[in-house]
Amino acid sequence: MTHSDAPTTKFTWTALGGDPGLLPRLSAVVRSGALEARLPVRELARACVGACALAAAELGARRAGLAEVPEVRVDDGAVATAFVSERHLLVDGRAPVTFAPLSRFWRTADGWVRTHANYPHHRARLLGALGLPDDASVETVAGCLAERSAVEVEDAVYAAGGLAVALRTPEEWARHEQGVAVAGQPLVERGTLGSAAPRSLPPLAGDPLSPAAGLRVLDLTRVIAGPVATRTLALLGADVLRVDPPGLPELADQHTDTGFGKRSATLDLTAGRHDRQVFEELLASADVVVTGYRPGALDRFGLSAEALAERRPGIVVGQLSAWGAYGPWGGRRGFDSLVQVATGIAAIEGSEEKPGALPAQALDHGTGYLLAAGVLRAVTEGLDEGGTRFVRPALARTAAWLTAGDRAGAGRGGATEEASYGGDPASWLAEADSALGRLRYALSPVSFEGGPNDWSRPPGPWGADSPRWV
């Protein structure tokens, strides 16, 4: 990548096919100290949110018949707060636990490895791969890993269906076959899969201006990046229905943090004709399908982009992955923390004594806003050109963008204003009552003139809603 590929809103907007003439509609409040890191995390976050907000304003203007796209203002304070939304969440005053004891860095015989074991099934697979009992302590796991090489652990745990990644430097990742494959891809893969008539959406009226009003979004995502994207579409007025398998519940606090504006239902697509029929009925009237499972995992249900193009011409398909749907790791599971370790970010942000981490799960959050922006732009393009459109970001591709960039002019789309950032997030937090209790939460940083500033509904219990559209 080159200097021009640094984390700027201009680069992001161009990567999404946006009209460069709209960039002057965007301004930023730049706050030094927000998301401070060695890498340009603040600039990447601002660029992702700015492009998403501009895509929303563009679609809103088109649907409302406005002569000019509303002005977009991105505030580093709002962005920094939202990028750690899981840390600001309180449920009846209780702060959530974000990482389980076995999700951490470990010393190995020749370096470091990072594991992810927040979900019970991932914890069981990790311990099984290491030949340890289910009740193994942190000390026992540490002793076991200290006797093995990092790559040996990575391979063994992956073979068992678990999650562990060896620490690599940026140079090592650049030579790795998956790193080479990722570097050869655009920031967001996007295109058409088949012909379809131009999309027709009713005109918008009223206050606030909700660009995604009337869109039905089938949310088949998990963890952070995908749910952040669909949470953003819900903010903008879409009817978002998240569907999960009943035997694989989401972590409760994670679901709460990313569940604003949505409804949550369960359907078992592997057993029983009834649930499959209900799902097909939902799909038959969906405008957008967003998936966040590893590439290929949903193909057996007819949910590949190609199959969706045949079954539902004109639909927008958003497909999120950790490593990209290509290269030797294309079918692997992954999480933000693991992608940071593989791509050299943990080495850059760390020291000789121990690897480090970004000040936020910025790959997750940033890629989530990129995905939402890509979906919004695909809807806008479909109004004129039709077609079944796909959008495919990947955490590893966002990581490549981050590690290639520098701070020169980063993130600036139009006018900028310098302001202080004291680390107090109060201006960008809100509270609401819900079926889960009294919630304190981070507001969305996606903001434009006349647009919504909060979700229309708080999250509810996982899987508690009927699998139907509003």
Side-chain angles (χ1 to χ4, degrees):
M1 298 179 74
T2 66
H3 171 82
S4 62
D5 297 341
T8 64
T9 305
K10 179 179 179 180
F11 174 72
T12 315
W13 185 242
T14 302
L16 293 167
D19 176 6
L22 295 181
L23 284 170
R25 303 301 296 166
L26 186 149
S27 63
V29 179
V30 177
R31 298 179 187 270
S32 61
L35 297 174
E36 194 63 33
R38 292 173 183 166
L39 289 165
V41 178
R42 177 184 59 158
E43 292 79 4
L44 177 140
R46 188 193 306 141
C48 292
V49 170
C52 185
L54 191 56
E58 176 192 34
L59 178 57
R62 173 66 185 276
R63 294 187 63 191
L66 303 181
E68 197 169 34
V69 170
E71 291 188 355
V72 173
R73 190 172 181 83
V74 181
D75 191 311
D76 282 352
V79 173
T81 302
F83 265 58
V84 290
S85 60
E86 63 275 9
R87 300 181 202 169
H88 292 301
L89 178 70
L90 292 178
V91 182
D92 285 334
R94 176 187 61 81
V97 176
T98 54
F99 281 100
L102 298 189
S103 295
R104 49 167 282 185
F105 286 108
W106 308 87
R107 268 282 193 190
T108 63
D110 61 350
W112 293 88
V113 70
R114 181 150 191 172
T115 55
H116 194 288
N118 285 3
Y119 290 94
H121 58 291
H122 289 156
R123 183 181 187 279
R125 291 168 186 172
L126 169 65
L127 294 174
L130 300 178
L132 297 175
D134 291 343
D135 60 352
S137 66
V138 170
E139 292 74 21
T140 300
V141 174
C144 176
L145 293 176
E147 299 174 353
R148 306 190 185 191
S149 75
V151 172
E152 177 190 352
V153 172
E154 177 183 272
D155 290 342
V157 174
Y158 168 71
L163 292 148
V165 172
L167 177 73
R168 291 174 173 83
T169 65
E171 295 75 21
E172 289 170 334
W173 179 246
R175 295 191 297 269
H176 191 278
E177 192 174 349
Q178 187 63 30
V180 172
V182 168
Q185 297 294 328
L187 177 61
V188 179
E189 296 177 82
R190 49 191 298 276
T192 57
L193 290 166
S195 61
R199 179 183 294 274
S200 177
L201 290 173
L204 293 179
D207 182 25
L209 180 65
S210 299
L215 290 176
R216 290 173 168 176
V217 179
L218 198 54
D219 179 1
L220 308 178
T221 69
R222 296 181 66 80
V223 197
I224 296 177
V228 163
T230 52
R231 179 179 72 182
T232 303
L233 296 175
L235 171 82
L236 298 170
D239 179 9
V240 179
L241 179 64
R242 173 166 167 164
V243 177
D244 287 286
L248 197 63
E250 182 62 279
L251 300 175
D253 291 330
Q254 201 158 261
H255 172 74
T256 302
D257 177 51
T258 59
F260 284 86
K262 311 179 196 178
R263 291 174 300 114
S264 169
T266 61
L267 290 171
D268 188 349
L269 303 186
T270 63
R273 183 177 301 176
H274 177 265
D275 278 16
R276 187 58 191 263
Q277 181 178 345
V278 171
F279 181 81
E280 292 298 328
E281 290 171 356
L282 290 170
L283 181 61
S285 56
D287 300 293
V288 179
V289 174
V290 184
T291 67
Y293 292 76
R294 61 186 175 85
L298 299 178
D299 290 3
R300 60 188 169 133
F301 303 119
L303 293 173
S304 69
E306 294 74 15
L308 286 168
E310 292 182 6
R311 299 163 68 195
R312 184 79 171 115
I315 202 167
V316 173
V317 184
Q319 295 178 303
L320 173 77
S321 63
W323 309 105
Y326 37 74
W329 287 16
R332 290 196 179 192
R333 299 173 181 86
F335 293 92
D336 181 306
S337 59
L338 302 182
V339 176
Q340 288 189 40
V341 171
T343 59
I345 291 173
I348 293 171
E349 295 292 338
S351 64
E352 293 183 3
E353 289 75 32
K354 188 176 181 180
L358 299 177
Q361 295 191 68
L363 305 181
D364 262 334
H365 286 270
T367 307
Y369 291 110
L370 283 177
L371 177 54
V375 168
L376 293 167
R377 291 244 58 255
V379 171
T380 300
E381 291 174 338
L383 293 174
D384 292 322
E385 304 167 16
T388 301
R389 298 176 179 274
F390 69 88
V391 180
R392 294 185 188 127
L395 302 187
R397 192 62 192 81
T398 303
W401 180 39
L402 176 64
T403 54
D406 60 45
R407 295 181 182 274
R412 316 224 172 168
T416 59
E417 171 189 333
E418 300 287 339
S420 62
Y421 180 74
D424 182 2
S427 298
W428 305 288
L429 298 177
E431 293 192 7
D433 291 318
S434 75
L436 302 171
R438 182 71 176 173
L439 303 179
R440 187 194 74 176
Y441 59 97
L443 293 166
S444 175
V446 175
S447 175
F448 61 91
E449 185 181 12
N453 57 21
D454 201 350
W455 289 275
S456 61
R457 56 177 286 159
W462 179 84
D465 295 296
S466 298
R468 58 179 177 82
W469 299 116
V470 171

